[in-house]
């Protein structure tokens, strides 16, 4: 019933179609602060020579040169040179589509717009480009991507979820904070710690744990973030956090993309991903059956695009906790590894992780990590990507490529020593 194939083929299996990648996260976050980066450049190594990559800002020529030297990426790059957060990438395209349309005319293939997240402006951008959209309507996206709405969907499908309460933030109401405190204290009467999750945020945004002593501070922090709705739940003892990825193609085919193991700090903030989930056959089977039920419901509702369902395996059971109804960070990692395997050799093991060094240029980074840097020849190596914040904060991401898990550990230790020495 379900197909198993690469994500690239789920997006398009037609050589006469032109992929136009826009990896901007801004469309998911109407209210933006310093914690929200567009991360457009992470799609550069995903692209193939005949694809188009659209960037909010400027292309890092050194990074691009390094990618092209290894046969990765494309030279069809559109730069909007926009650094404010006022407009999302799709809004920039709608406002000035000609730079992208010029390349579409030159190449002469049918365009397919592939955004990170599908909102109203992504549909508008696809329309103005004369492109198909590998994505969904805003209604379908929000029905599943919103954490509270997703819990409701699961309950309607008879899928067990973590007990919890949805709570609407109304900072203008003096009693609102007291109401939140009462709900939290109700859970603390039967559990040691409570988790509060914003229904929109991801990667640690609007995510808090409390034992009851700091509720007022947390309330004001959530209010300042602009989050309008949160979920309050008991914090369970979690053994693992698998992520099950699927894709629903434009012609409604449902494809399983595989299950990953997520690495979470403090039991909740995602900081990395391993290629395969390390779980028992019974656990994997339970998750797969649950996901299939959810994804089938999504396809029937009209959702198209990537689906990444986060689970927790706990003392109390196996529960879906979040549906990333958009591209996931590891979606791009999988596509990058697929590209590397086509030009290099099979990659038995990989690990995606976020890392930090002293702020520097990409060229300086390559000098720091030269002994482990991917060179297209050695398997056990480090592939850097998502480097747009490297010159500002020193933040970037890497894929560790290795022949076995022992080498993953060795490479990670070597890498950390190299970048920490730079501070």
């Amino acid at each position: 019933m379900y197909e198993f194939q690469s994500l690239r083929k789920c997006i398009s299996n037609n050589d006469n179609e032109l992929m136009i990648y826009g990896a901007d996260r801004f469309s998911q976050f109407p209210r933006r602060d310093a914690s929200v980066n567009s991360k457009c450049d992470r799609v550069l190594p995903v692209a193939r020579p005949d694809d188009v990559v659209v960037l909010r800002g400027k292309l890092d020529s050194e990074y691009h040169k390094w990618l092209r030297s290894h046969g990765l990426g494309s030279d069809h790059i559109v730069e909007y040179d926009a650094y404010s957060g006022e407009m999302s990438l799709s809004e920039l395209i709608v406002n000035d589509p000609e730079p992208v349309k010029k390349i579409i005319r030159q190449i002469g293939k049918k365009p397919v717009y592939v955004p990170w997240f599908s909102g109203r402006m992504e549909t508008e951008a696809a329309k103005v480009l004369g492109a198909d959209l590998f994505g969904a309507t805003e209604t379908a996206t929000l029905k599943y991507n919103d954490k509270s709405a997703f819990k409701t969907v699961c309950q309607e499908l008879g899928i067990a979820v973590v007990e919890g309460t949805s709570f609407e933030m109304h900072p203008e109401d003096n009693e609102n904070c007291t109401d939140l405190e009462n709900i939290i204290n109700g859970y603390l009467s039967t559990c040691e710690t409570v988790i509060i999750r914003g229904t929109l945020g991801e990667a640690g945004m609007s995510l808090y744990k409390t034992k009851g002593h700091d509720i007022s501070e947390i309330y004001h922090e959530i209010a300042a973030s602009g989050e309008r709705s949160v979920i309050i739940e008991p914090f369970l003892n979690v053994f693992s956090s698998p992520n099950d990825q699927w894709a629903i193609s434009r012609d409604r085919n449902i494809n399983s993309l595989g299950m990953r193991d997520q690495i979470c700090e403090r039991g909740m903030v995602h900081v990395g991903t391993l290629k395969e989930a390390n779980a028992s056959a019974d656990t994997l089977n339970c998750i797969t059956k649950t996901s299939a039920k959810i994804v089938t419901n999504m396809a029937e509702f009209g959702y198209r695009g990537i689906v990444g369902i986060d689970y927790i395996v706990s003392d109390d059971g196996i529960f879906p906790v979040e549906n990333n109804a958009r591209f996931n960070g590891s979606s791009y990692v999988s596509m990058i590894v697929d590209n590397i395997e086509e030009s290099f050799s099979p990659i038995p093991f990989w690990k995606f992780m976020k890392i930090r060094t002293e702020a520097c240029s990409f060229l300086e980074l390559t000098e720091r990590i030269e002994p482990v840097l991917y060179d297209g020849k050695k398997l056990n190596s480090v592939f850097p990507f998502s480097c747009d914040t490297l010159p500002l904060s020193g933040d970037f991401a890497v894929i560790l490529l290795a022949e076995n898990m022992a080498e993953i550990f060795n490479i990670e230790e070597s890498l950390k020593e190299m970048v920490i020495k730079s501070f």
Side-chain angles (χ1 to χ4, degrees):
M1 181 179 178
Y2 305 111
E3 299 181 21
F4 295 84
Q5 59 182 353
S6 71
L7 176 48
R8 169 78 184 204
K9 289 183 178 178
C10 297
I11 298 171
S12 174
N13 205 12
N14 185 344
D15 291 338
N16 292 317
E17 289 187 328
L18 171 66
M19 302 299 99
I20 301 173
Y21 291 106
D24 178 39
R25 295 197 307 160
F26 279 6
S27 54
Q28 185 179 350
F29 303 107
R31 181 185 174 107
R32 299 162 198 145
D33 57 28
S35 65
V36 181
N37 297 308
S38 64
K39 294 195 173 182
C40 286
D41 84 315
R42 61 183 159 175
V43 82
L44 287 167
V46 168
R48 300 191 177 187
D50 54 352
D51 295 334
V52 179
V53 173
V54 188
L55 303 176
R56 285 183 48 80
K58 296 282 290 182
L59 176 68
D60 183 332
S61 59
E62 291 296 340
Y63 181 60
H64 187 241
K65 189 187 302 181
W66 180 79
L67 288 175
R68 300 301 287 131
S69 73
H70 295 301
L72 299 167
S74 169
D75 291 324
H76 302 302
I77 312 293
V78 175
E79 305 165 75
Y80 275 98
D81 200 13
Y83 291 94
S84 78
E86 291 180 9
M87 288 196 285
S88 69
L89 181 62
S90 292
E91 289 172 311
L92 291 168
I93 291 172
V94 169
N95 194 48
D96 180 19
E98 186 54 31
V100 185
K101 293 177 79 170
K102 181 179 179 181
I103 295 178
I104 294 172
R105 290 193 297 269
Q106 289 171 351
I107 296 175
K109 294 182 178 181
K110 172 66 178 176
V112 179
Y113 186 43
V114 188
W116 156 260
F117 177 91
S118 293
R120 181 179 63 84
M121 292 307 299
E122 282 60 49
T123 299
E124 290 298 314
K127 187 184 299 183
V128 79
L129 294 175
D132 280 356
L133 175 68
F134 181 69
T137 64
E138 184 173 80
T139 300
T141 300
L142 295 179
K143 177 180 172 71
Y144 298 98
N145 194 72
D146 180 280
K147 297 176 181 61
S148 181
F150 175 59
K151 283 189 79 168
T152 300
V153 169
C154 289
Q155 290 167 330
E156 290 171 350
L157 293 173
I159 296 168
V161 295
V162 179
E163 66 169 307
T165 302
S166 294
F167 182 82
E168 297 297 320
M169 295 290 295
H170 294 290
E172 73 283 358
D173 180 354
N174 293 333
E175 299 299 318
N176 198 229
C177 180
T178 302
D179 293 340
L180 177 73
E181 188 171 9
N182 290 337
I183 294 170
I184 292 172
N185 286 332
Y187 285 112
L188 288 173
S189 66
T190 57
C191 70
E192 184 178 322
T193 307
V194 164
I195 185 170
I196 305 161
R197 301 191 288 144
T199 59
L200 183 64
E202 56 102 34
M205 297 170 61
S206 300
L207 189 57
Y208 309 90
K209 283 196 300 186
T210 182
K211 295 181 183 293
H213 63 280
D214 56 355
I215 298 174
S216 178
E217 292 89 335
I218 289 173
Y219 179 87
H220 291 296
E221 200 170 327
I222 296 170
S225 75
E227 194 81 58
R228 286 175 288 204
S229 180
V230 297
I231 303 173
I232 305 159
E233 300 165 326
F235 188 70
L236 305 182
N237 182 29
V238 174
F239 307 131
S240 62
S241 304
N243 170 264
D244 197 14
Q245 290 202 21
W246 297 65
I248 304 171
S249 66
R250 286 173 287 144
D251 55 8
R252 300 174 59 183
N253 287 332
I254 297 176
N255 306 272
S256 174
L257 302 175
M259 208 175 301
R260 318 295 185 202
D261 240 354
Q262 296 192 109
I263 304 158
C264 298
E265 282 184 349
R266 306 191 309 280
M268 58 181 189
V269 180
H270 174 252
V271 294
T273 304
L274 283 168
K275 179 180 181 180
E276 294 178 356
N278 182 22
S280 69
D282 286 346
T283 295
L284 296 177
N285 186 51
C286 173
I287 290 174
T288 300
K289 284 185 176 179
T290 303
S291 295
K293 188 182 290 189
I294 293 167
V295 177
T296 299
N297 176 267
M298 295 175 74
E300 290 172 349
F301 188 78
Y303 182 87
R304 304 289 179 266
I306 305 299
V307 182
I309 305 171
D310 292 342
Y311 289 82
I312 56 171
V313 181
S314 72
D315 287 329
D316 298 82
I318 302 169
F319 304 106
V321 293
E322 190 168 325
N323 186 341
N324 301 299
R326 50 162 171 75
F327 268 78
N328 295 223
S330 60
S331 307
Y332 294 128
V333 174
S334 297
M335 297 180 78
I336 294 168
V337 172
D338 287 344
N339 290 347
I340 292 172
E341 288 185 326
E342 283 193 15
S343 62
F344 178 47
S345 66
I347 308 295
F349 291 84
W350 59 255
K351 179 179 180 179
F352 155 59
M353 58 185 290
K354 301 163 189 175
I355 198 162
R356 172 175 286 184
T357 187
E358 184 182 14
C360 64
S361 68
F362 178 74
L363 202 57
E364 289 170 324
L365 176 67
T366 62
E367 292 170 356
R368 287 177 195 173
I369 67 172
E370 193 275 332
V372 294
L373 183 66
Y374 174 80
D375 61 3
K377 299 173 185 176
K378 59 178 181 282
L379 172 55
N380 301 311
S381 58
V382 173
F383 188 97
F385 78 113
S386 199
C387 300
D388 55 344
T389 55
L390 183 62
L392 302 174
S393 63
D395 292 307
F396 64 111
V398 294
I399 312 170
L400 310 182
L401 310 169
E403 57 191 309
N404 53 51
M405 278 305 297
E407 284 296 339
I408 290 278
F409 177 79
N410 291 337
I411 297 166
E412 182 175 345
E413 290 304 302
S414 297
L415 174 65
K416 286 180 177 178
E417 186 177 346
M418 290 170 193
V419 299
I420 289 171
K421 274 186 176 178
S422 68
F423 277 99

